[in-house]
Amino acid sequence: MVQSLTLTLKETIFAKESTLTISPESLEYQNISLSKFEIDEIRYGVKAITGSMFRIGRIYCIDAKSLSGTIMKIRLKSLYGIREKTLGEKYRLIVKALLENFINPICQSFINLFKSKIDFDLLGITFTQEGIILEKKTQVIPWYDLGTKNYSRYYTIFSKGNPNNYKAFYYIEDWNTAVLYSVSRYILKAKKLN
């Protein structure tokens, strides 16, 4: 279900406020406006802020990249637990709106390619009707041999028969890891292999 969201954000406690607007048609923040047709890749996650001996805070990170290479960066920083709950809730709302408005349609376009029996590449992985080919490897991992594991920070794809043949993708570092997760899991579920 597509949704619109407008939030007032302060990246740090001392920063000036900026308005983030997410609608089914566009994404706007800090003088950058991207239409849904321009948004090509999204990544998100939480980074720890480490002091000399322990964690002292966290940074909620959300990036959207356009087809032309423009990157919109949204950062929300909490130190010593100040604003942690408020920023965490805003982060969850933003990610949910991005999933519904932009990530799901990107996933659907890849799923449609697969249903049309067209091979495609996603994050260096080639998807074919027989299986996948991991980056820089020529061997096809058949769908029945494909395993996946999802963790809070990363997603892995591997061969069940040869677990050393794997690739890990980090949500906060690798563009469109959420898309890879959705597309690969959809295909495995459609083939009744998940």
Side-chain angles (χ1 to χ4, degrees):
M1 178 178 167
V2 270
Q3 70 174 29
S4 294
L5 178 68
T6 301
L7 292 173
T8 302
L9 305 177
K10 286 177 73 169
E11 289 194 6
T12 65
I13 204 163
F14 302 110
K16 70 175 193 166
E17 291 183 341
S18 298
T19 301
L20 168 70
T21 304
I22 302 172
S23 73
E25 298 303 317
S26 67
L27 176 61
E28 297 176 28
Y29 183 65
Q30 291 186 337
N31 300 322
I32 298 175
S33 180
L34 303 174
S35 80
K36 74 175 183 179
F37 303 109
E38 291 179 283
I39 297 172
D40 186 37
E41 299 175 310
I42 295 175
R43 64 183 176 193
Y44 55 86
V46 181
K47 288 182 186 176
I49 301 173
T50 308
S52 60
M53 303 203 30
F54 53 88
R55 290 184 183 169
I56 60 170
R58 59 181 58 183
I59 305 171
Y60 299 94
C61 305
I62 302 165
D63 299 333
K65 188 196 285 186
S66 72
L67 292 167
S68 64
T70 302
I71 298 176
M72 176 187 293
K73 293 186 175 200
I74 301 168
R75 299 290 183 269
L76 303 171
K77 296 176 188 171
S78 169
L79 290 170
Y80 303 109
I82 298 169
R83 304 183 321 141
E84 185 176 326
K85 286 184 181 180
T86 303
L87 296 180
E89 182 58 31
K90 286 184 177 184
Y91 171 78
R92 283 184 287 283
L93 288 171
I94 294 166
V95 170
K96 182 179 179 198
L98 291 174
L99 282 166
E100 292 174 356
N101 291 311
F102 307 115
I103 295 174
N104 288 347
I106 292 170
C107 294
Q108 193 57 52
S109 66
F110 284 112
I111 290 168
N112 290 342
L113 287 174
F114 188 80
K115 287 179 177 178
S116 299
K117 301 188 186 312
I118 298 171
D119 294 352
F120 61 89
D121 288 337
L122 179 58
L123 288 170
I125 294 178
T126 303
F127 283 72
T128 69
Q129 296 301 305
E130 294 78 37
I132 66 162
I133 303 170
L134 291 179
E135 190 174 52
K136 298 180 183 173
K137 305 205 172 148
T138 56
Q139 181 182 1
V140 174
I141 300 174
W143 289 111
Y144 64 83
D145 186 39
L146 186 67
T148 64
K149 292 275 185 182
N150 189 41
Y151 302 93
S152 61
R153 293 179 42 233
Y154 64 97
Y155 178 63
T156 61
I157 290 185
F158 58 92
S159 165
K160 292 177 187 173
N162 179 11
N164 291 326
N165 188 10
Y166 76 95
K167 180 85 171 131
F169 300 91
Y170 291 83
Y171 288 100
I172 197 166
E173 296 170 14
D174 299 308
W175 292 101
N176 280 348
T177 299
V179 174
L180 176 66
Y181 168 86
S182 295
V183 171
S184 59
R185 297 293 273 258
Y186 174 87
I187 293 170
L188 288 170
K189 187 175 180 182
K191 292 183 171 291
K192 299 184 181 355
L193 296 170
N194 195 357

